[in-house]
């Protein structure tokens, strides 16, 4: 018996019970077009968000005029032959009894979030972005690379690697996947990966996140390719190199070195032949990644006299880092709730989302920055549980067939878990940290959708599943986009200039409803002069009453 599937739902006919077609099958023309359109739209959205966050496109400064961000300053330090930042430390800090006192920033300029040690500024961020991008760019062009461009480059390359993993696995194990399922998966990968956050704000903190994501995703792509290649050792060595650079960008990726061991366990004691992934591939990846790790330890030892000290202890931040408890298991409950199950609150006006209710923080936890629950707000991630259920079932059956997607799905699931471990025990939860693990969860969800689709034989069930996938992917994209409107650089909580035309259009229906209910309803313009006496106090400036009740109160607060 054969089941006819309309082209707009899957593109072709397949036998009942077939889980996938031959690996050599090519995607349909419609699938290729839709995939290209989704990828192009994702990249365009990334760049538009990045451009809208600043004053237009970043421009190269003339030769001899240098950028002043942390990474370009470190780049110039490297090119001058030393490991500290190319910026003099103010004498007030050098002479201070406690140079890490946050109050010093009130009396002298401080390079915020740099690490001060023995008369020099250092960076606690890993050096890989400087070595791989900023120094080569300056040597080749004679100019400094604007920091936002560096964030964008690493993010886009990492996104390309993520899409590469997706299509490699899809075409090998799920070539019969329907076009709607592929569209849904690509839409969720581009938005639910949370890469929009590093485009929305592309500062020093986002650069290390973007670089770590880029190199780790490349390492995962190389590892996946190694599982199916006769040149497994070569692919594994490339993956080890990329993972080493990920660790040298963001040391938390060190845990992911475990991923290169897992394929041997997933083989279910079936000996690898000379052309498969085996001990030679593992040793090659381990030696290269280990060499970078040793170089990174030496880098730390030369700077701080401790191979494990990256500079966090000597960080010049708004709090005393010497007394902070940066890692603790007591933070796990709070961080898990904020990263995975906290619900954004919907409001009536653009961008229609407000931050979740924050539970009581454990002692030592510094708070959160714009985080929200991945499973609660990005519903496409739910398909990941389908993939996990299939993976556990496969392990329980002890099926020895290695030509299945489960080893790769196991790697992606392990990557999601390993990259979540450190954010859960860290003393602060930030939305940019979600880039560490959200891409793996979305990739796992994409494969979960394909696994479910491959087991359906009813045309109606296929339609329902594919339609559900599209709806959940669209909801995921909508939340991901709206969540980055009011951000770090927007303390007034009003839409930035680039979003204001959209805000006016979407808020217009509600405005009309209010205007009908309350004649004369309109924005209030207040012009006032501040008094000369600015002693600490709070007093009302303007109150709005509707239906006999006070609905808004504007206060003036003076703080010395």
């Amino acid at each position: 018996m054969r089941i006819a599937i309309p082209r707009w739902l899957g593109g072709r006919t397949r036998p009942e019970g077939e889980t996938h077609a031959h690996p050599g099958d090519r995607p349909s023309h419609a699938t290729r077009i839709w995939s290209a359109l989704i990828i192009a739209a994702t990249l365009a959205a990334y760049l538009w968000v990045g451009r809208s966050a600043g004053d237009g496109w970043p421009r190269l400064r003339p030769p001899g005029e240098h950028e002043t961000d942390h990474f370009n300053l470190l780049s110039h330090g490297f090119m001058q032959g030393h490991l500290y930042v190319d910026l003099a430390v103010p004498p007030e800090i050098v002479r201070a009894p406690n140079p890490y006192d946050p109050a010093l920033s009130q009396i002298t300029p401080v390079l915020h979030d740099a690490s001060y040690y023995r008369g020099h500024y250092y960076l606690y961020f890993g050096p890989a972005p400087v070595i791989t991008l900023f120094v080569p760019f300056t040597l080749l062009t004679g100019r400094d690379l604007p920091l936002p461009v560096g964030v964008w480059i690493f993010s886009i390359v990492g996104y390309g690697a993520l899409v590469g993993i997706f299509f490699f696995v899809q075409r090998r194990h799920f070539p019969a996947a329907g076009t709607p399922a592929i569209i849904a998966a690509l839409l969720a990968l581009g938005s639910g990966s949370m890469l929009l956050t590093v485009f929305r704000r592309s500062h020093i903190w986002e650069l290390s996140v973007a670089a770590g994501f880029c190199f780790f995703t490349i390492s995962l792509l190389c590892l996946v390719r190694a599982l199916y290649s006769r040149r497994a050792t070569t692919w594994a060595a490339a993956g080890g190199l990329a993972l080493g650079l990920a660790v040298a960008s963001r040391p938390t990726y060190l845990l992911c070195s475990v991923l290169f061991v897992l394929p041997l366990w997933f083989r279910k004691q079936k000996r690898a032949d000379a052309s498969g992934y085996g001990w030679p591939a593992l040793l090659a990846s381990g030696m290269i990644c280990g060499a970078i790790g040793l170089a990174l330890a030496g880098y730390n030892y030369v700077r701080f006299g401790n191979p494990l000290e990256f500079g966090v202890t000597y960080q010049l931040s708004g709090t005393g880092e010497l007394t902070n408890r940066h890692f603790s298991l007591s933070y796990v409950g709070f961080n898990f709730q904020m990263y995975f199950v906290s619900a954004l609150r919907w409001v009536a006006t653009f961008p229609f989302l407000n931050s979740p209710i924050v539970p009581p923080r454990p002692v030592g936890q510094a708070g959160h920055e714009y985080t929200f629950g991945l499973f609660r707000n990005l519903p496409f991630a739910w398909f990941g549980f389908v993939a996990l259920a299939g993976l556990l079932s496969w392990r329980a059956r002890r099926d020895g067939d290695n030509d299945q997607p489960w080893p790769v799905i196991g790697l992606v699931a392990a990557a999601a878990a390993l990259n979540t471990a450190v954010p859960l025990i860290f003393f602060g939860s930030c939305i940019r940290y979600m880039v560490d693990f959200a891409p793996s969860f979305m990739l796992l969800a994409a494969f979960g959708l394909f696994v479910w689709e491959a087991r359906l034989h009813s045309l109606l069930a296929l339609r329902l599943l594919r339609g559900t996938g599209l709806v959940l992917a669209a909801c995921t994209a909508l939340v991901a986009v709206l969540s980055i409107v009011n951000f770090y650089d927007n303390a007034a909580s009003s839409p930035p200039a680039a979003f204001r035309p959209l805000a006016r259009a979407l808020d217009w229906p509600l405005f009309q409803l209010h205007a009908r209910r309350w004649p004369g309803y309109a924005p209030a313009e207040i012009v006032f002069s501040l008094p000369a006496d600015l002693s600490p106090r709070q007093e009302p400036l303007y109150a709005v009453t509707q239906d006999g009740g006070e609905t808004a109160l504007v206060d003036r607060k003076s703080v010395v």
Side-chain angles (χ1 to χ4, degrees):
M1 177 180 178
R2 303 180 74 85
I3 299 175
I5 302 175
R7 294 186 62 83
W8 69 276
L9 276 174
R12 57 200 181 95
T13 302
R14 70 178 182 184
E16 181 179 12
E18 179 186 353
T19 57
H20 57 74
H22 189 274
D25 287 0
R26 294 181 176 274
S28 69
H29 183 64
T31 300
R32 289 196 297 268
I33 292 178
W34 276 108
S35 298
L37 288 175
I38 295 295
I39 293 171
T42 299
L43 293 175
Y46 287 166
L47 294 176
W48 183 84
V49 169
R51 181 183 181 277
S52 68
D55 299 323
W57 300 109
R59 296 182 180 180
L60 292 176
R61 298 192 179 191
E65 184 178 334
H66 300 310
E67 297 282 346
T68 58
D69 64 86
H70 296 49
F71 285 92
N72 274 294
L73 291 174
L74 184 60
S75 172
H76 286 285
F78 283 179
M79 289 187 289
Q80 292 172 14
H82 52 75
L83 302 181
Y84 51 85
V85 168
D86 184 28
L87 182 68
V89 180
E92 291 84 356
I93 295 178
V94 177
R95 295 193 300 261
N98 178 14
Y100 309 103
D101 185 355
L104 281 175
S105 61
Q106 305 296 323
I107 61 176
T108 186
V110 174
L111 187 62
H112 180 65
D113 261 8
S115 300
Y116 171 75
Y117 187 74
R118 293 185 176 179
H120 297 293
Y121 283 135
Y122 297 91
L123 296 189
Y124 70 89
F125 305 110
V130 174
I131 296 172
T132 59
L133 182 60
F134 286 84
V135 168
F137 183 88
T138 300
L139 291 176
L140 289 174
T141 66
R143 302 184 178 190
D144 289 348
L145 181 70
L147 182 69
V149 177
V151 176
W152 301 352
I153 290 174
F154 282 123
S155 300
I156 290 174
V157 172
Y159 170 71
L162 188 69
V163 171
I165 298 170
F166 169 78
F167 277 120
F168 180 82
V169 176
Q170 181 264 316
R171 289 174 181 174
R172 183 172 183 90
H173 293 291
F174 307 102
T179 300
I182 293 176
I183 291 174
L186 287 174
L187 187 61
L189 280 179
S191 57
S193 62
M194 301 305 293
L195 284 173
L196 283 167
T197 63
V198 298
F199 283 88
R200 179 65 179 83
R201 190 184 79 156
S202 301
H203 289 177
I204 55 173
W205 305 276
E206 286 73 24
L207 180 68
S208 63
V209 170
F213 160 74
C214 172
F215 291 124
F216 169 71
T217 312
I218 292 173
S219 74
L220 186 59
L221 173 61
C222 292
L223 178 56
V224 169
R225 295 297 300 266
L227 300 185
Y228 303 93
S229 174
R230 294 183 178 275
R231 297 178 293 175
T233 302
T234 302
W235 278 111
L241 173 62
L243 181 60
L245 292 173
V247 174
S249 301
R250 192 160 172 76
T252 55
Y253 283 107
L254 179 62
L255 294 177
C256 291
S257 56
V258 176
L259 297 177
F260 285 79
V261 182
L262 290 182
L264 301 182
W265 181 60
F266 283 141
R267 283 187 175 279
K268 298 176 177 290
Q269 303 171 351
K270 181 178 179 180
R271 184 179 178 183
D273 57 25
S275 62
Y277 188 96
W279 288 106
L282 176 61
L283 290 174
S285 62
M287 290 177 63
I288 295 178
C289 184
I292 296 177
L294 289 175
L296 187 60
Y299 172 73
N300 289 336
Y301 182 81
V302 172
R303 297 189 304 162
F304 304 115
N306 183 347
L308 301 181
E309 177 59 66
F310 285 85
V312 174
T313 304
Y314 308 108
Q315 183 182 347
L316 300 173
S317 64
T319 61
E321 298 296 337
L322 290 171
T323 59
N324 284 337
R325 186 176 56 168
H326 294 97
F327 300 96
S328 174
L329 291 177
S330 65
Y331 304 150
V332 171
F334 177 87
N335 287 337
F336 182 84
Q337 182 167 348
M338 297 308 301
Y339 282 130
F340 290 101
V341 297
S342 62
L344 289 166
R345 292 174 292 173
W346 291 88
V347 295
T349 54
F350 185 85
F352 308 113
L353 293 176
N354 205 347
S355 59
I357 297 175
V358 181
R361 299 200 309 265
V363 176
Q365 216 283 346
H368 83 108
E369 295 178 357
Y370 302 97
T371 49
F372 57 84
L374 184 143
F375 292 129
R376 194 76 175 269
N377 303 281
L378 305 179
F380 189 83
W382 301 343
F383 286 115
F385 294 107
V386 177
L388 286 177
L391 177 65
L392 294 175
S393 175
W394 173 70
R395 290 299 303 172
R397 291 195 309 270
R398 298 200 173 276
D399 184 356
D401 183 7
N402 286 307
D403 191 23
Q404 294 193 37
W406 303 115
V408 174
I409 290 176
L411 287 176
V412 175
L418 291 169
N419 286 329
T420 304
V422 175
L424 285 181
I425 63 174
F426 190 57
F427 82 133
S429 60
C430 301
I431 193 170
R432 61 179 176 272
Y433 298 161
M434 295 181 72
V435 178
D436 292 347
F437 54 82
S440 296
F441 277 105
M442 288 299 153
L443 193 59
L444 184 66
F447 296 152
L449 175 59
F450 293 159
V451 167
W452 196 349
E453 182 188 48
R455 279 157 174 70
L456 295 180
H457 310 310
S458 164
L459 178 59
L460 176 60
L462 278 172
R463 285 180 171 176
L464 290 175
L465 178 64
R466 290 169 177 172
T468 301
L470 284 172
V471 170
L472 295 185
C475 292
T476 295
L478 179 65
V479 172
V481 171
L482 294 179
S483 67
I484 54 106
V485 174
N486 290 331
F487 224 49
Y488 292 94
D489 58 353
N490 193 37
S493 296
S494 61
F499 293 92
R500 286 172 191 167
L502 181 62
R504 293 190 187 98
L506 295 179
D507 287 343
W508 186 83
L510 182 63
F511 174 81
Q512 292 300 318
L513 288 175
H514 286 174
R516 286 176 177 272
R517 182 175 181 181
W518 299 294
Y521 177 86
E525 181 176 339
I526 308 173
V527 179
F528 62 91
S529 299
L530 291 175
D533 178 16
L534 295 179
S535 57
R537 66 185 187 278
Q538 182 170 323
E539 57 185 333
L541 289 177
Y542 185 76
V544 178
T545 57
Q546 290 177 352
D547 296 338
E550 190 174 85
T551 62
L553 182 66
V554 181
D555 285 345
R556 181 182 73 86
K557 188 174 183 179
S558 300
V559 180
V560 289

